Structure formats: structure tokens, C-alpha cells
């Protein structure tokens, strides 16, 4: 993969998401997932 | 980051206006459509044709019967955000006083009144930036919800912020903010363990993933602390840490302050070495004893049992099912139902 490409398995609860793309896109995905995690606690 | 975002780009008469072509290109490269608005003074520094070339749109250089300021930044206007870059002391003072005597100040007054997000990137000589009236004007405009991208104080000048900082602030102004009010601690990059005063052992890691996550959280409204062995960044408070133990201590200190989540994306050394006080002589074989380094997530989990933690782990030679199993195994070990784990394949 190129310098900015990455492959990640995002494992959460019972499922997981396989992600392949740029690190910038991964950053956005992780931030969105974190929003989901923090939202119910409020 | 800015896909589908319409940016009205106000340009005023600072020498930093020479950078507007690069800034417009960067905004477009990130997915935005850009239309320029130039003051008369700005046109003495950067020709409207250059802005037209950079934005692929004819810039506004004068307000006419078309009421361009309303067309751009009225309640049903074209723009999703008004970015003023560079913004002179003169212009920020006028915006604070709601003075409308140029295409940029009139567009700014319209945007603020219509609730269109406004981002300002000041640029001026440093004494002007120290003027109490200018500082009052900035405070006043900021109190209206306008975002400021702090200038870089260098060589006696308050130089316009970097393109990265400006683009990030524009993204924050135009992205929903589900993380507003949350403090997120993110680790990034490699740690390194000294062997002697000259040499280290370390991991392969650029820090790009952790920095991208920190920026992603900031853009969505979070207050972010980034712990890494690197430079300051415009989207986070930085705590520097070189060794694994320093990173653990820095993260614990940041989390102790108050944190709503930890994202541990750094490639932290699993081993440390009893470092020599002086440079080890070369030319002969050496044996290093690798001692286990402290586990960051274990330390944080022990001190903060309910903190949501996202851990990253790089693996080789495993298929997806094995990777998922390993990730879930690490939850069991750490006993945290709120953790999630990302595994790099």
C-alpha cells in the first residue's frame, strides 16, 4: 500500500468493519464511531 | 474533508494575500468550491485574474445591483462558510464595529447576521496584533461565534496561519459537531527507547493515523490532546513523549485532567533497554536485554475503569477472523466492555 493507504479492521461489539483507504478517511471514520460510542452515555 | 462545501473566500490588503492562490487550490483539493471576494487593497497585491484562475470562478471586486454579498452570504445564500484570509487589523476592526465599506466587510456583516459560519485568519505586523483595540476587536468578533485561526508569530510579524490550520478550521466550522464538549486524548507515532545517548530502538510508524484521528475528532467539535514525539499541530494541544514510559505518564496526566475518551494509535515500544551512560563503542558484537515496557492501556484502564478506550494493534501473518479473535482477546485480558480495538492488517 502507498504511504497514505492503510487497511484496518475496526472491531466493536459483536461486529467489525473492514476498512481500506487513506489515513485521513480512517481518521474521520474513527471520529464518527467515537461519536456513536459517546452519544448514548449523555 | 470539504466535499460539497461552498467557501466564500474574502481577501484583504495584507501582503499575505500573495498566498491566496495556494490557499484556494488547497481548499479545492479538499473538495470545496471557492468564490473570491476582494477588497480594493487586496487587488493591489493579488490580481483578480489570479484569484479567478485559482478558484475557477469570477471573483467579486465590487458590490453592484446584483447585491453580491447577499447572493453569497445571505440567509439563502450560496456560501456554507465565509473565510477571510488574510484579514488585516483594519478589516477585523471594521467587522467588530459592523462597518460595511468594502466587499469583504459588507459580506462579513451579512454572513454574521444571517448565521453563516465565519472563519478569520488574521495577518499583520506584530505590533498591530498587540494593539489593545485590535485585540478587543478580535475578542468582540470571536464572541459572536466567529472562528479565528491564530497567526504564527515569527520575525516580528503575525504571519497568516498555515494552509493546514486554515483548512482544518473551515472544516470544523462546516461539519456537524457530535463531539462538542468532549475531551479526547489521542496518541500517535512511534516511541523510542535509548540504548545510549546517541542510539535508540524504535518502531516503524509515521504518526499519520493518530494525527488524522486527532484532526477528525477536532473537526467534529472535540477538544483534543495529542501525545506524540512530534511538532505542534493546529488541531490539538500537544504533550510530547519520546519513551513508552513518558507516553504512559503524559497520557495519564492528560486523562487525569479530564477526558471522555482515549484513542491509543501510537506504536508504543513493547520493550525497553537499560541505556548506557556513554556511547557504546562500535566494531564489536553486543547483546541487548529487552525488558517489557509498561502497557499504556493497562495503566489507563486501572486508573479510569469506565473510560472509553480505542486501541490499535498492528499484526502480521493472520487472516481477518484471526485478527478479530485477537482483538476480542485483548478485551478479555483488559476486562473492558467499552473498549474497541482496531487491528491493522
Amino acid at each position: 500500500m502507498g504511504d497514505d493507504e492503510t487497511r484496518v479492521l475496526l472491531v466493536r461489539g459483536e461486529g467489525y468493519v473492514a476498512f481500506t483507504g487513506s489515513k485521513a478517511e480512517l481518521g474521520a471514520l474513527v471520529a464518527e464511531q467515537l461519536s456513536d460510542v459517546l452519544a448514548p452515555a449523555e | 474533508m470539504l466535499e460539497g462545501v461552498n467557501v466564500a473566500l474574502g481577501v484583504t490588503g495584507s501582503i499575505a494575500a500573495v498566498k491566496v492562490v495556494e490557499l484556494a487550490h488547497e481548499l479545492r483539493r479538499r473538495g470545496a468550491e471557492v468564490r473570491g471576494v476582494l477588497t480594493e487593497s487586496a487587488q493591489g497585491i493579488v490580481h483578480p485574474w489570479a484569484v479567478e484562475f485559482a478558484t475557477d470562478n469570477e471573483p467579486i471586486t465590487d458590490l453592484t445591483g446584483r447585491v453580491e454579498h447577499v447572493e453569497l452570504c445571505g440567509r439563502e445564500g450560496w456560501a456554507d462558510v465565509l473565510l477571510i484570509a488574510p484579514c488585516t487589523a483594519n478589516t477585523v476592526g471594521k467587522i467588530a464595529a459592523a462597518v460595511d465599506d468594502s466587499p469583504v466587510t459588507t459580506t462579513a456583516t451579512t454572513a454574521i447576521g444571517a448565521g453563516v459560519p465565519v472563519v478569520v485568519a488574521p495577518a499583520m505586523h506584530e505590533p498591530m496584533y498587540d494593539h489593545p483595540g485590535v485585540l478587543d476587536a478580535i475578542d468582540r468578533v470571536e464572541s459572536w461565534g466567529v472562528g479565528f485561526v491564530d497567526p504564527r508569530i515569527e520575525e516580528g510579524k503575525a504571519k497568516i496561519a498555515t494552509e493546514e490550520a486554515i483548512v482544518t478550521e473551515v472544516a470544523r466550522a462546516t461539519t456537524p459537531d457530535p463531539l462538542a464538549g468532549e475531551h479526547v486524548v489521542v496518541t500517535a507515532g512511534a516511541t523510542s527507547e535509548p540504548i545510549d545517548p546517541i542510539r535508540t530502538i524504535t518502531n516503524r510508524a509515521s504518526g499519520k493515523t493518530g494525527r488524522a484521528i486527532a484532526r477528525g475528532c477536532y473537526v467534529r467539535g472535540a477538544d483534543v490532546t495529542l501525545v506524540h514525539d512530534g511538532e505542534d499541530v493546529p488541531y490539538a494541544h500537544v504533550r510530547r513523549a519520546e519513551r513508552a514510559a513518558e507516553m504512559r505518564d503524559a497520557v495519564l496526566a492528560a486523562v487525569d485532567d479530564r477526558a471522555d475518551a482515549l484513542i491509543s494509535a501510537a506504536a508504543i515500544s513493547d520493550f525497553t533497554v537499560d541505556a548506557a551512560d556513554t556511547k557504546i563503542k562500535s566494531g564489536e558484537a553486543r547483546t541487548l536485554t529487552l525488558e517489557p515496557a509498561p502497557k499504556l492501556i493497562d495503566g489507563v484502564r486501572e486508573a479510569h475503569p469506565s473510560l472509553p478506550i480505542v486501541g490499535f494493534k498492528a499484526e502480521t501473518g493472520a487472516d481477518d477472523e484471526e485478527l478479530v479473535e485477537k482483538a476480542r482477546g485483548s478485551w478479555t485480558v483488559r476486562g473492558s466492555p467499552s473498549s474497541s480495538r482496531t487491528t491493522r492488517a
Side-chain angles (χ1 to χ4, degrees):
Chain A
M1 288 186 178
D3 283 347
D4 196 43
E5 286 282 306
T6 191
R7 181 167 190 272
V8 163
L9 302 182
L10 181 56
V11 185
R12 186 181 152 199
E14 293 303 308
Y16 75 92
V17 175
F19 168 88
T20 302
S22 73
K23 290 174 181 174
E25 291 166 338
L26 175 63
L29 174 65
V30 172
E32 291 288 346
Q33 295 271 330
L34 180 64
S35 305
D36 291 344
V37 170
L38 295 180
E42 292 173 348
Chain B
M1 183 185 282
L2 294 174
E3 288 78 12
V5 173
N6 290 341
V7 180
L9 174 56
V11 186
T12 70
S14 159
I15 189 61
V18 298
K19 293 179 177 291
V20 73
V21 170
E22 292 170 13
L23 176 60
H25 278 149
E26 183 63 14
L27 290 163
R28 293 180 67 199
R29 199 173 69 80
R30 303 290 185 141
E33 184 165 354
V34 183
R35 290 174 67 180
V37 184
L38 280 69
T39 65
E40 189 176 347
S41 297
Q43 293 171 55
I45 296 169
V46 59
H47 198 283
W49 291 351
V51 177
E52 181 170 1
F53 173 78
T55 62
D56 202 24
N57 279 308
E58 187 178 347
I60 294 166
T61 55
D62 198 5
L63 299 181
T64 70
R66 286 178 55 197
V67 286
E68 290 87 346
H69 50 298
V70 178
E71 180 194 341
L72 270 189
C73 289
R75 293 191 201 284
E76 306 295 328
W78 173 86
D80 297 304
V81 60
L82 169 63
L83 166 65
I84 305 177
C87 184
T88 59
N90 182 48
T91 294
V92 76
K94 288 178 181 173
I95 293 172
V99 171
D100 309 322
D101 65 349
S102 78
V104 171
T105 53
T106 307
T107 304
T109 300
T110 308
I112 292 169
V116 174
V118 178
V119 174
V120 173
M124 59 196 77
H125 285 273
E126 203 213 348
M128 300 169 76
Y129 195 63
D130 288 336
H131 189 293
V134 173
L135 296 175
D136 282 351
I138 290 173
D139 286 345
R140 182 172 170 79
V141 174
E142 203 164 26
S143 74
W144 298 336
V146 171
F148 275 78
V149 196
D150 291 338
R152 298 167 291 141
I153 307 299
E154 295 173 359
E155 301 167 334
K157 299 181 183 70
K159 293 184 178 177
I160 192 169
T162 62
E163 287 171 19
E164 179 189 31
I166 294 170
V167 168
T168 299
E169 208 60 40
V170 169
R172 184 170 160 111
T174 55
T175 303
D177 59 354
L179 293 176
E182 311 283 6
H183 178 209
V184 181
V185 178
V186 182
T187 69
T191 60
S192 54
E193 301 296 315
I195 298 171
D196 64 24
I198 308 296
R199 306 177 181 97
T200 64
I201 53 173
T202 187
N203 296 322
R204 293 181 190 274
S206 67
K208 283 183 179 177
T209 296
R211 292 195 300 274
I213 292 168
R215 192 208 296 246
C217 291
Y218 177 80
V219 163
R220 286 158 183 79
D223 181 27
V224 181
T225 295
L226 177 64
V227 183
H228 72 160
D229 185 16
E231 302 296 317
D232 285 345
V233 297
Y235 43 81
H237 313 284
V238 167
R239 288 178 183 251
R240 286 193 178 75
E242 181 183 358
R243 302 181 60 175
E246 292 171 358
M247 182 164 280
R248 180 199 57 191
D249 293 346
V251 167
L252 279 169
V255 170
D256 286 346
D257 273 353
R258 183 188 81 80
D260 299 293
L262 166 65
I263 301 176
S264 179
I268 303 169
S269 305
D270 289 318
F271 301 101
T272 188
V273 178
D274 190 12
D277 293 332
T278 57
K279 184 183 176 186
I280 297 170
K281 288 183 180 175
S282 58
E284 48 189 89
R286 295 280 175 179
T287 300
L288 294 175
T289 301
L290 302 178
E291 299 288 346
K295 291 290 186 186
L296 183 147
I297 289 180
D298 290 350
V300 175
R301 172 60 66 226
E302 187 178 343
H304 300 274
S306 61
L307 182 73
I309 297 175
V310 180
F312 275 70
K313 191 171 183 63
E315 292 285 356
T316 59
D319 62 27
D320 285 4
E321 285 187 10
E322 291 170 321
L323 291 170
V324 170
E325 199 171 314
K326 283 187 178 186
R328 295 217 164 94
S330 69
W331 291 352
T332 305
V333 169
R334 298 192 169 99
S336 167
S338 62
S339 290
S340 62
R341 167 74 78 176
T342 57
T343 303
R344 287 184 203 149

